[in-house]
Amino acid sequence: MGATMTPSRVVAHRMPGFPVIRTALSGLLAMFVGIGVARFSFAPLVPALVKAQWYSASSAFWFATVNLAGYFIGVAAIRAWRGAYPAKPAMVLAMGLTAAATLCCALNWGPAWFGFWRLVSGLTGGVLMVLMASAVVGRAPPASRGRVSGFAFSGMGAGMTFSSLAIPHLLLHGLVFTWAALGALCAGATLIVALIMPPARIEPPQRHAAKGSPPLVVVLLISAYAFSALGFMPHMLFWSSFIAIGLGRGVAAGAVMAAWIGLAATLGPPLLGRAADRFGFLPTLAAGFLIMGGAVAIPLFTDAAPALVVSALCVGAVALGTVMLVAGAIAGMVPPARLSTDWGLAAMTYAITQITAAALLSHLFRLTGSYGILFRVGVGAQALGLLFIALAAWMARR
């Protein structure tokens, strides 16, 4: 029996030896449900929602914004929570609410109904993001933290891949069937976590321990994390339309390119996690930013299909791997009582950057009609992020 930590401090009740597989798999399923399905399944469904006249395209954008706003609220709420609670029931409850919200979206009862449940699914996604860092990443022994967190965070990419590949086939049976199938999938994943996740209790931090600003090295790391959100946005929002419309290759080609991003996002975090265990989180993060910056720049120089596949693979692998690397880096930099506060701040900053970047880049594209300028912004963001990582690494060495 030992005291391990998470966003606050986790006291894990377990037999000797860390249950790596059960813990990491629980984290993967939490990310698959809370982010992979709850967020990434929505974009492939938008054309079907508009075509079926459930909602307009402008309403769909509002629903996406509401979901991101809910995510921010969820992160802020669990970051501010100061009471003790058992980690496993909290994670199962959040996943169960996500499943219920997804099932409720199968009912075409108007924009207010649909928007409310998109808000709920965003909120539970934010809770799961911070809670998973507490119950999984923070508990992992330092020697295997990269491996555990990499496997757990790959659930986001798995959800993205599933959404890109499976939803077109589910839609053949209609929107109601599709939403119901997604909800049932989330419910099944929730049941598995309820059965396999080892118990742990999250204790409130001492009041003085979590007060004050984060260490400067963590502030630099959070700044780099925010720039990674901006650097990912051109591929996250515009990649499929760039392929389908900008290059004139059709909707099917755009969907395939989106699937490459999802596949890479599934495989990237485990690979980067192993690299972090061997070389350290900050060196791996710096290398990832360098690779992603080059990948975002590829469409500026060529539209050859193999090169674009490389761009999609590198961006997908690093963008979602960055989440895991930043979480692991912060866990190694701060005391247990600060982890939930500082990782929560990082997640909130990332969410705000995503919302702001989505609005600004969409407006920039409407003004210019140019995809190239979006990719240039992404490259610049990665370069600035790399600078902040270099400064953080320098401070960490000192």
Side-chain angles (χ1 to χ4, degrees), residues 280-300:
F281 280 90
L282 285 180
T284 304
L285 193 59
F289 266 63
L290 190 62
I291 291 170
M292 184 169 161
V296 175
I298 286 176
L300 298 173

Side-chain angles (χ1 to χ4, degrees), residues 162-186:
F162 174 83
S163 300
S164 300
L165 299 178
I167 284 180
H169 299 285
L170 295 175
L171 285 171
L172 296 176
H173 304 283
L175 277 169
V176 173
F177 177 86
T178 301
W179 281 112
L182 293 175
L185 180 65
C186 291

Side-chain angles (χ1 to χ4, degrees), residues 36-265:
V37 174
R39 181 184 298 179
F40 290 127
S41 69
F42 186 68
L45 284 167
V46 168
L49 291 169
V50 175
K51 184 178 179 180
Q53 298 183 348
W54 277 32
Y55 308 106
S56 65
S58 59
S59 294
F61 176 77
W62 179 75
F63 294 142
T65 304
V66 164
N67 184 260
L68 286 174
Y71 176 85
F72 176 82
I73 295 170
V75 169
I78 194 167
R79 178 176 179 263
W81 186 263
R82 288 294 178 263
Y85 59 94
K88 180 176 178 178
M91 185 173 287
V92 171
L93 176 61
M95 292 177 68
L97 285 173
T98 306
T102 305
L103 287 168
C104 287
C105 287
L107 301 173
N108 183 17
W109 287 358
W113 169 268
F114 195 86
F116 172 78
W117 291 112
R118 292 302 298 161
L119 178 71
V120 170
S121 65
L123 190 152
T124 54
V127 168
L128 286 168
M129 175 62 76
V130 179
L131 180 58
M132 200 278 286
S134 301
V136 176
V137 178
R139 291 183 62 197
S144 60
R145 182 174 291 144
R147 180 162 55 102
V148 172
S149 60
F151 184 77
F153 277 110
S154 70
M156 296 186 293
M160 184 186 294
T161 305
F162 174 83
S163 300
S164 300
L165 299 178
I167 284 180
H169 299 285
L170 295 175
L171 285 171
L172 296 176
H173 304 283
L175 277 169
V176 173
F177 177 86
T178 301
W179 281 112
L182 293 175
L185 180 65
C186 291
T190 302
L191 178 60
I192 293 173
V193 171
L195 293 174
I196 70 169
M197 183 176 175
R201 184 172 179 82
I202 298 179
E203 301 289 349
Q206 297 175 353
R207 289 185 178 274
H208 70 277
K211 286 185 176 180
S213 301
L216 181 56
V217 64
V218 173
V219 173
L220 293 171
L221 192 58
I222 291 174
S223 300
Y225 190 43
F227 280 115
S228 77
L230 178 55
F232 183 35
M233 201 55 61
H235 276 64
M236 179 178 175
L237 286 184
F238 300 96
W239 186 243
S240 293
S241 62
F242 167 67
I243 301 297
I245 301 172
L247 299 181
R249 296 180 183 175
V251 174
V256 170
M257 281 294 181
W260 282 118
I261 293 179
L263 177 63

